[in-house]
Amino acid sequence: MSQMNRRRALQLLAALGAGGLTAGCASDPEEPAEPKSTVKVGLIAPQSGPGKAVGDELRNGFELYLDLNERVLGGHPVNLLVADEGDSVKSGQAAVDGLLKQGVLALTGVSSAAVMSGIRDVIEQARVPLIGSNASPTSLQSVVYIWRTSYVLDEAGRALGRHLRDALGPDDRVAMIMPESALGGDDVLRGFRQEFGESDPRIADPVVFTSNNANPGKGAFVRDIDRALSRNPSVVFCFFAGPAAAEFVMQLRDAGFQGAIYAPGFLTEGTVLESIKPADDALGIRTALNYSADLNNAANRRFASAYRKKHSASPTTYAMASYDAAKVLDQAIRLAGSDPTPQELNLALGRIGQIDSPRGAWQFNQPRTPQQKWYLREVQHDGQVLSNVLLSELATLG
């Protein structure tokens, strides 16, 4: 063997020896990793009153993600602290103050758009990130520590305005009905008009405003509905949620209107469909929302199946957005390091990229809200119950 070949052989043997040693070391059992510290996350949601149904969904969605992930976020065990948002800005602020005093790493939830606006300055001054998981007003601008996994309220109006502008015929007329001073109503209406066309004669009639009552009586909308129907509309565009949504639909049908009803998805979301009697009054209602429980993707099949198994009901957009809030925190806490501060977590939130969500993939835009798809749904029979059935994609907004 030449000197060159002998030297090369020795080098190969040395390399193999080192590799064998490395492999041997790798096969030894590793030292068990030290358990990571528990992190506190505060969830703000209504626990009584007309907002309780949404509050329950916010909690259900977040808890479900924890259940499916061993009650761990980013490798840290989680202590979930729940505070009652109540039904006013004052009670929402008290909930935030109480959670901040307990040293939470992050906050999530918040059902009311008014509460979201009312706690803005407290959150920004505390420098603790809030992952809001319900409606967000368009006026909430220039925030650093407030992120949202839901939507901005004008987007539902924009999605429907664009769709109806093209879907309706030249002789159709749209009656617009909503509660006076409804939280988010101005945003929805503005988005609808902008996309439909402010000067389009099909929406030229003035908006009919009803009383703003979260629990209206059986005759609460009769006079306002009669006023709207006197214009002979072929379509009603409205904005109601919760008990008021069920009452409005029943009173509109009692008034004899059999035309098309379009609305942001809150009109038929959650427990509303169960409250409409007779149930057939809700058939055919079409709504725009960022989620439908029958979306066919792997993330939604896992989420919706687990939700139905646990709660014997289909998940709502409220539960989905809260589930995603937990997922966002899971990824951000992992990126923020072994012992993150709220400020480090906030920086990590800006680096998480695309979210594989039950609604379909989305990501945060510059204002810290989702860039996401919106869907058109229709109330149809699903066996013995009514369900919001996916019809088509409407738009990608955000």
Side-chain angles (χ1 to χ4, degrees):
M1 184 183 290
S2 70
Q3 187 175 1
M4 181 71 72
N5 286 341
R6 187 180 296 113
R7 186 181 301 119
R8 179 62 180 153
L10 289 170
Q11 287 173 343
L12 288 170
L13 285 170
L16 285 170
L21 180 61
T22 303
C25 291
S27 65
D28 290 340
E30 293 184 359
E31 293 276 334
E34 289 188 16
K36 292 186 178 180
S37 58
T38 298
V39 297
K40 295 179 182 178
V41 175
L43 190 150
I44 305 154
Q47 296 178 28
S48 60
K52 183 180 185 300
V54 174
D56 289 345
E57 289 286 290
L58 297 182
R59 184 167 183 174
N60 290 348
F62 202 93
E63 289 275 11
L64 183 62
Y65 188 90
L66 293 180
D67 290 345
L68 295 177
N69 291 275
E70 300 179 338
R71 312 286 302 178
V72 167
L73 295 179
H76 293 260
V78 174
N79 181 9
L80 184 64
L81 308 174
V82 181
D84 187 2
E85 180 180 335
D87 58 3
S88 68
V89 172
K90 186 176 180 180
S91 59
Q93 290 172 333
V96 171
D97 290 341
L99 290 169
L100 290 174
K101 287 176 182 176
Q102 296 182 69
V104 294
L105 178 66
L107 296 163
T108 188
V110 185
S111 170
S112 164
V115 170
M116 179 63 84
S117 296
I119 63 177
R120 177 194 188 279
D121 292 344
V122 176
I123 298 297
E124 295 293 304
Q125 290 164 13
R127 300 173 68 209
V128 173
L130 164 66
I131 318 298
S133 47
N134 198 30
S136 180
T138 57
S139 58
L140 194 66
Q141 304 276 344
S142 303
V143 289
V144 175
Y145 282 86
I146 298 178
W147 307 72
R148 284 137 289 173
T149 57
S150 50
Y151 41 76
V152 180
L153 278 163
D154 69 332
E155 292 174 349
R158 288 170 57 199
L160 279 175
R162 187 179 302 181
H163 170 70
L164 287 175
R165 176 194 64 201
D166 299 331
L168 298 183
D171 297 326
D172 283 309
R173 294 193 72 82
V174 181
M176 298 174 285
I177 311 175
M178 60 188 58
E180 190 171 16
S181 303
L183 297 175
D186 290 345
D187 289 341
V188 170
L189 185 59
R190 187 185 310 110
F192 181 76
R193 282 174 155 164
Q194 285 174 350
E195 291 292 339
F196 198 104
E198 295 276 4
S199 60
D200 194 308
R202 294 174 295 179
I203 59 167
D205 291 335
V207 180
V208 174
F209 289 106
T210 71
S211 62
N212 186 8
N213 187 336
N215 283 294
K218 293 194 178 298
F221 302 123
V222 169
R223 291 178 61 183
D224 300 314
I225 287 172
D226 286 346
R227 189 154 49 100
L229 296 187
S230 69
R231 301 166 186 172
N232 236 5
S234 51
V235 173
V236 164
F237 171 75
C238 56
F239 175 70
F240 293 91
E247 274 299 332
F248 175 77
V249 170
M250 290 187 290
Q251 291 177 38
L252 182 63
R253 293 306 194 198
D254 284 346
F257 182 73
Q258 296 301 317
I261 302 173
Y262 285 84
F266 331 116
L267 186 74
T268 58
E269 194 73 350
T271 58
V272 174
L273 286 178
E274 301 168 13
S275 303
I276 296 175
K277 307 294 181 187
D280 284 359
D281 278 357
L283 284 174
I285 294 177
R286 292 189 170 187
T287 60
L289 206 56
N290 62 342
Y291 176 67
S292 180
D294 59 348
L295 280 167
N296 187 20
N297 61 63
N300 190 50
R301 286 194 294 272
R302 182 176 189 238
F303 166 67
S305 174
Y307 193 94
R308 290 184 178 109
K309 183 176 180 180
K310 184 174 181 181
H311 297 288
S312 299
S314 292
T316 63
T317 189
Y318 316 118
M320 179 278 298
S322 196
Y323 179 89
D324 272 7
K327 183 164 192 171
V328 162
L329 284 172
D330 189 9
Q331 296 184 16
I333 291 171
R334 195 176 305 279
L335 285 172
S338 59
D339 190 20
T341 65
Q343 295 77 41
E344 289 168 342
L345 176 61
N346 199 65
L347 289 172
L349 284 164
R351 307 202 312 268
I352 59 176
Q354 196 170 78
I355 307 298
D356 182 22
S357 165
R359 77 188 84 177
W362 66 272
Q363 60 189 17
F364 285 118
N365 57 18
Q366 191 172 5
R368 290 162 158 72
T369 63
Q371 183 178 34
Q372 62 186 329
K373 292 178 180 178
W374 282 76
Y375 303 97
L376 184 66
R377 315 175 311 167
E378 182 179 273
V379 178
Q380 298 179 10
H381 281 296
D382 182 11
Q384 298 299 312
V385 297
L386 295 182
S387 181
N388 293 293
V389 175
L390 177 67
L391 293 183
S392 64
E393 291 181 16
L394 287 174
T396 297
L397 299 174

